[in-house]
Amino acid sequence: MDPVSNSAAPRRGRPPKGAAQLSKHAIVEATLKVIDADGIGAVSMRSVSRVLGVDAKSLYNHVDGKEDLLDAVAERLLGTIELPPLTGDPEADLRAIAYAFRERALTHPEAAPLVLTRQLASFEGLAPVEAVLVALRDAGCPTSEAVHLLRAFVATLIGTLLREVNAGPTYGTTDTAAIAQREAALTNSGLPAVTDAAQHLARFDAEAEYEFAIGLALDAVAARLARSR
């Protein structure tokens, strides 16, 4: 069932009241409502127009189509990242950027894959890239090396966050029954290393996992910076 089917359907004939006041901002907000309710796969010009109570054709005055609409959502979320001022300490700066990135991605978990995977060319979309490159450049990293480090660092963020929002274990850290069930399954797997680690594998602390992944990435960055100086 379409999660927004109860919204006012567009009327035939004259444009619905308010259609003339449509804006890209309103369309993006409506798209986020669709995504929050039923995921990215539910987004279409028609589903968004139903949230707004207008004809789908009126959206084309502001966006070129579904792909442009999804880019606009990603840009909205990236554009609201509160990037911290750089301090000159590359480890502290990259850690702060990583957590600002995570905070924004998790504001709309269903939309997080857009923030993490859309290849954007706008100011908003490239602002986090700029922040990382400047932090590395200010640490004395050559441009070509900085690009490699940027890609590896971002890949770590994306992989960790995608796991958290899309494939994170449902047992988490607080559902004791689910944890016990998972631990029992792992213990009985017949795999010695898995059995030995069962009590740890059966729990998933997203915050701790993100911190560990960022720490590991920053250790690698520090090692590469030391070599490039």
Side-chain angles (χ1 to χ4, degrees), residues 143-169:
T143 300
S144 60
E145 179 80 358
V147 171
H148 288 306
L149 290 175
L150 163 73
R151 288 173 175 163
F153 186 66
V154 171
T156 300
L157 303 190
I158 290 174
T160 307
L161 285 169
L162 282 179
R163 174 185 169 119
E164 181 173 350
V165 301
N166 283 334

Side-chain angles (χ1 to χ4, degrees), residues 22-211:
L22 269 182
S23 66
K24 192 169 185 177
H25 177 87
I27 293 170
V28 169
E29 291 301 313
T31 306
L32 279 170
K33 289 182 180 179
V34 173
I35 293 173
D36 288 344
D38 214 36
I40 296 170
V43 173
S44 67
M45 301 300 274
R46 187 167 295 180
S47 65
V48 174
S49 70
R50 280 198 290 267
V51 172
L52 294 164
V54 300
D55 191 288
K57 293 179 181 178
S58 63
L59 272 58
Y60 287 94
N61 293 320
H62 305 275
V63 293
D64 294 333
K66 179 180 175 178
E67 291 304 309
D68 187 38
L69 183 55
L70 294 178
D71 281 348
V73 171
E75 288 171 353
R76 169 67 56 80
L77 295 177
L78 286 169
T80 55
I81 291 178
E82 296 184 7
L83 292 170
L86 298 181
T87 66
D89 179 340
E91 180 176 348
D93 290 338
L94 292 177
R95 186 182 298 277
I97 292 169
Y99 273 95
F101 193 70
R102 179 175 184 265
E103 187 278 330
R104 184 49 52 198
L106 296 183
T107 300
H108 295 277
E110 291 293 332
L114 296 178
V115 178
L116 302 172
T117 60
R118 302 295 285 190
Q119 193 168 39
L120 306 174
S122 66
F123 179 90
E124 292 83 359
L126 291 174
V129 173
E130 170 77 1
V132 173
L133 288 175
V134 170
L136 293 171
R137 182 198 64 190
D138 289 352
C141 188
T143 300
S144 60
E145 179 80 358
V147 171
H148 288 306
L149 290 175
L150 163 73
R151 288 173 175 163
F153 186 66
V154 171
T156 300
L157 303 190
I158 290 174
T160 307
L161 285 169
L162 282 179
R163 174 185 169 119
E164 181 173 350
V165 301
N166 283 334
T170 56
Y171 38 87
T173 58
T174 59
D175 188 336
T176 55
I179 291 171
Q181 183 179 12
R182 177 63 171 169
E183 185 173 346
L186 293 168
T187 299
N188 296 322
S189 66
L191 300 168
V194 171
T195 298
D196 183 59
Q199 63 175 316
H200 305 291
L201 290 171
R203 293 166 174 77
F204 183 82
D205 183 330
E207 183 79 23
E209 293 294 331
Y210 192 73
E211 174 60 29

